[in-house]
Amino acid sequence: MRTIDYDKEQYRDYARGRALSERQLRVWLDAFASVLPGRRPLAGLDVGSGTGRFTPALAREFGPVVGVEPSVRMREVALARSGHPGVRYPAGGAEEMPVPADSADYALLFLSWHHVQDKPRAARELARVLRPGGRLLLRANFRDHHPGPWWLEHFPRGYEVDASIFQPLHEVIAMFTSAGWKVVDYGTVTEPSPGTLGDMLERLRLRTLSFFAQLGPEEVEAGFHRLEQVVAADPDAPAPVFAEPLLTFELR
């Protein structure tokens, strides 16, 4: 996977390109609540928090949250958008988090795991900062359990390139279990549709998905040409939905 420098690319458009509607956000919060302890408040970590699309909502729903994000630009956007007293965004990354040991009840990694460079170190660091019995919510794609968004088929090598970004499920599980975690749940979450095909095309044009950074310019151009033809036939049709994996670990 080509590493993306979010201080130089994507940060201007990321919040718009990856925004969630209130209905979509509600579905995810309910999914998280189903695998988290019932007591409140919970101290949380949003690891790879980006522009903070989840962080304030997590604070409102569960309790105070630390958004851990290595990109200065992404943190700046998050700070400008958040304004929630229960949220803070210190500099840090999954491999080295600026929080004390045994200080969090859960950590969320939402489509950020594939960006982590030293994954074994991150698995150990997450075990350091969570309390015994703490939960790790990993919303990640897996090479062998890939949701296959509908638009990928229109890009050259679309499914192949997107799947190559991610680890296989068994490899992720082995890595975390060797660092003191156990699997407590694996399921899928289906978001409501993000809007029409036309809406989705406009968001894809912002190129805020890691997938686009792995393609050559000619492949990107060819894919959008095909996609535009398909969408033009029925731009107001609802964008298809798909089941997204959510893997939950508990710290032993």
Side-chain angles (χ1 to χ4, degrees):
M1 171 181 165
R2 182 179 82 77
T3 302
I4 300 169
D5 186 347
Y6 284 100
D7 285 325
K8 296 181 179 178
E9 51 188 316
Q10 294 196 17
Y11 70 91
R12 292 183 182 89
D13 296 318
Y14 193 91
R16 188 157 55 104
R18 308 297 288 274
L20 296 169
S21 69
E22 287 300 318
R23 288 182 64 219
Q24 290 174 314
L25 188 59
R26 183 72 259 163
V27 166
W28 282 111
L29 291 173
D30 289 346
F32 301 155
S34 71
V35 293
L36 288 175
R39 60 183 173 80
R40 302 288 183 269
L42 297 173
L45 297 169
D46 186 2
V47 184
S49 52
T51 56
R53 62 174 170 165
F54 277 105
T55 327
L58 293 172
R60 291 192 299 268
E61 193 81 6
F62 303 119
V65 181
V66 177
V68 179
E69 170 57 49
S71 165
V72 175
R73 295 294 190 190
M74 297 284 264
R75 292 200 309 273
E76 288 175 351
V77 175
L79 284 166
R81 290 166 53 85
S82 172
H84 193 284
V87 172
R88 61 187 183 93
Y89 295 101
E95 299 95 334
E96 188 171 354
M97 287 181 269
V99 296
D102 302 329
S103 62
D105 297 301
Y106 75 91
L108 170 67
L109 281 83
F110 197 98
L111 292 176
S112 58
W113 180 245
H114 60 286
H115 291 295
V116 177
Q117 296 299 300
D118 189 339
K119 289 179 171 60
R121 181 181 175 190
R124 296 191 298 271
E125 176 68 348
L126 285 159
R128 180 187 73 83
V129 299
L130 262 66
R131 300 180 177 116
R135 294 287 172 97
L136 170 63
L137 284 57
L138 188 65
R139 162 62 187 105
N141 293 333
F142 305 102
R143 190 174 304 160
D144 50 349
H145 291 72
H146 195 280
W150 61 275
W151 49 267
L152 280 176
E153 67 182 276
H154 303 294
F155 286 84
R157 305 184 300 122
Y159 291 117
E160 172 193 347
V161 170
D162 199 56
S164 71
I165 297 171
F166 308 106
Q167 294 174 285
L169 178 61
H170 68 87
E171 186 176 296
V172 176
I173 290 174
M175 185 175 298
F176 276 98
T177 54
S178 67
W181 299 88
K182 66 177 181 180
V183 176
V184 293
D185 191 74
Y186 176 75
T188 59
V189 178
T190 301
E191 292 181 2
S193 175
T196 66
L197 293 179
D199 295 333
M200 193 64 198
L201 176 59
E202 291 308 307
R203 292 177 66 167
L204 289 170
R205 282 188 174 125
L206 297 172
R207 303 184 191 185
T208 57
L209 297 169
S210 301
F211 166 76
F212 292 113
Q214 316 308 314
L215 298 179
E218 298 83 5
E219 292 177 305
V220 173
E221 183 179 352
F224 272 110
H225 178 69
R226 295 173 190 168
L227 190 58
E228 286 160 1
Q229 291 179 315
V230 170
V231 172
D234 194 2
D236 296 324
V241 298
F242 50 91
E244 305 182 48
L246 180 64
L247 175 61
T248 305
F249 294 95
E250 182 177 282
L251 186 61
R252 291 193 289 248

